Amino acid sequence: MAVTAATFAVVAAVALGGSATATASTFASPQACCDSLATAFGPKLFPSSSAEYAASIKSYFTLQERITPTCVVAPTAAEDVARIVGLLANQSCQFAVRGGGHSLVLGAANIEDGVTVDLSAMKSVVLSDDRTTASIGPGCRWGDVYRTLDALGSAVPGGRAATVGVAGLTLGGGNSFFTARKGFVCDNVKNFEIVLGSGQIVNANRTSNEDLFRCLKGGSNNFGIVTRFDMEAFDQGDLWGGYITYEQASAPDQIAGFTEFADKIAQDPYASLIAVWNYVGGQKSISNVYEYTKPEAYPAIFENLTKIKPELLSTMRIASLYNITDELASGPDRRSVPPSSPTAVAALPSR
């Protein structure tokens, strides 16, 4: 499933989603590719014996992505990425690309016996002077973004858990607490800086490379390596959020309340709800994750759900976007649970 140089010009790796199926029959040896990168990039190339290599592999969110590339190369700028692509393409090297490292799919952002291009050093977050654009590096996780923008009274639509990577979520479409007001996360990208399979660095936006701009909004790992996301920013302070856990016996009331909430969401686009039906250690419960993107506790749109008693646990409070999403981040060292598991998550419409 790793990206190959032979197919990169047509089917390319993209930050945090980076893999595709090889079609060529002959590739350079992985070690030869790593040796060439070591010559070109020196300390930015991590051999398998290095502490930096071990830290890169350990930082993947799920255990199944902690496979073992021959080496890891860690660019720090778009120009590095362009040089890496050119070198790998010229030598017909097999490689994969990793952004935030949150992918749940084996081989999607890492490779066994090949080169992994780790973008996690490219994690700058810069708000423009006019506060309308946040420029975000592909190695960021959403927690990095929210920590920076919270301090500036600003936000962009992004992941609902702090550990989710910016690149994978954005290029895949992306749901957020702001979806009912702002659309999908990808709808809020003004410009992509991207390295093409040729090694060329270009911008894709409404007036330049318009077809590529459209394709990157949901096109995931098919068109190049994105090296910067320029996103629509807006003023945002604290919000109300957290979760409440209920007894399984409340299921009929939960279903009725959820249905009414979904019917009324267009009336109050500041509200967001994730309904989680839990089965852990033989015990069943229901947890509702409530978010309201104003500092207003217990808004009326949630009334038919928040009136359900008893509450087994509640973390509801007014807090920053980072604080809320950090709470929802799962712990490390886990394997992902397939969608058919007993835990079901219900998402809201995109608008």
Side-chain angles (χ1 to χ4, degrees), residues 90-111:
N90 287 337
Q91 294 191 220
S92 295
C93 300
Q94 292 183 288
F95 65 101
V97 184
R98 169 254 173 85
H102 195 270
S103 176
L104 305 182
V105 180
L106 174 64
N110 201 0
I111 186 173

Side-chain angles (χ1 to χ4, degrees), residues 238-241 268 292-300 302 318:
D238 287 349
L239 60 152
W240 179 75
D268 193 343
Y292 198 71
T293 55
K294 293 181 180 180
E296 179 182 328
Y298 295 94
F302 293 124
I318 292 174

Side-chain angles (χ1 to χ4, degrees), residues 40-199:
F41 289 94
K44 296 179 182 179
L45 188 284
F46 308 148
S48 59
S49 59
S50 68
E52 294 88 348
Y53 175 100
S56 175
I57 302 306
K58 184 174 175 55
S59 67
Y60 281 91
F61 178 72
T62 55
L63 294 177
Q64 65 262 30
E65 267 290 75
R66 297 180 190 178
I67 53 180
T68 51
T70 307
C71 64
V72 173
V73 61
T76 57
E79 292 74 18
D80 285 349
V81 176
R83 289 177 61 207
I84 289 167
V85 168
L87 188 153
L88 295 175
N90 287 337
Q91 294 191 220
S92 295
C93 300
Q94 292 183 288
F95 65 101
V97 184
R98 169 254 173 85
H102 195 270
S103 176
L104 305 182
V105 180
L106 174 64
N110 201 0
I111 186 173
E112 190 79 33
D113 299 327
V115 177
T116 292
V117 183
D118 184 348
L119 303 176
S120 53
M122 299 174 64
K123 55 192 309 180
S124 64
V125 181
V126 178
L127 184 64
S128 64
D129 291 342
D130 64 3
R131 299 178 57 84
T132 63
T133 305
S135 296
I136 302 169
C140 287
R141 295 178 177 177
W142 287 107
D144 301 317
V145 177
Y146 299 149
R147 267 194 300 258
T148 299
L149 296 184
D150 279 349
L152 300 173
S154 182
V156 295
R160 295 174 293 183
T163 50
V164 173
V166 166
L169 184 78
T170 305
L171 294 169
N175 205 348
S176 80
F177 296 141
F178 303 97
T179 297
R181 281 196 290 144
K182 302 290 186 179
F184 286 122
V185 174
C186 68
D187 294 329
N188 293 272
V189 180
K190 294 179 173 181
N191 178 73
F192 299 92
E193 180 187 77
I194 181 171
V195 176
L196 304 180
S198 63

Side-chain angles (χ1 to χ4, degrees), residues 296-327:
E296 179 182 328
Y298 295 94
I301 192 168
F302 293 124
E303 181 180 6
N304 284 341
L305 288 165
T306 54
K307 71 181 182 182
I308 297 172
K309 303 299 179 185
E311 296 177 357
L312 304 180
L313 176 67
S314 175
T315 68
M316 303 309 303
R317 76 272 190 201
I318 292 174
S320 69
L321 185 54
Y322 173 75
N323 181 276
I324 296 291
T325 58
D326 186 54
E327 177 184 61

Side-chain angles (χ1 to χ4, degrees), residues 126-284:
V126 178
L127 184 64
S128 64
D129 291 342
D130 64 3
R131 299 178 57 84
T132 63
T133 305
S135 296
I136 302 169
C140 287
R141 295 178 177 177
W142 287 107
D144 301 317
V145 177
Y146 299 149
R147 267 194 300 258
T148 299
L149 296 184
D150 279 349
L152 300 173
S154 182
V156 295
R160 295 174 293 183
T163 50
V164 173
V166 166
L169 184 78
T170 305
L171 294 169
N175 205 348
S176 80
F177 296 141
F178 303 97
T179 297
R181 281 196 290 144
K182 302 290 186 179
F184 286 122
V185 174
C186 68
D187 294 329
N188 293 272
V189 180
K190 294 179 173 181
N191 178 73
F192 299 92
E193 180 187 77
I194 181 171
V195 176
L196 304 180
S198 63
Q200 183 182 8
I201 303 171
V202 303
N203 287 284
N205 50 54
R206 293 182 185 274
T207 59
S208 179
N209 298 301
E210 301 96 321
D211 55 347
L212 181 58
F213 180 59
R214 183 181 181 89
C215 290
L216 288 171
K217 296 192 172 191
S220 195
N221 61 342
N222 292 308
F223 301 101
I225 302 179
V226 175
T227 51
R228 193 185 71 240
F229 299 84
D230 297 327
M231 300 190 66
E232 296 273 0
F234 54 90
D235 291 342
Q236 176 68 41
D238 287 349
L239 60 152
W240 179 75
Y243 68 90
I244 301 176
T245 299
Y246 307 88
E247 294 179 342
Q248 173 68 18
S250 69
D253 291 338
Q254 297 285 349
I255 293 170
F258 183 87
T259 300
E260 181 168 341
F261 171 80
D263 287 342
K264 293 182 176 181
I265 184 59
Q267 300 174 23
D268 193 343
Y270 291 88
S272 175
L273 170 66
I274 307 172
V276 183
W277 293 48
N278 306 298
Y279 181 81
V280 180
Q283 300 298 312
K284 300 177 181 178

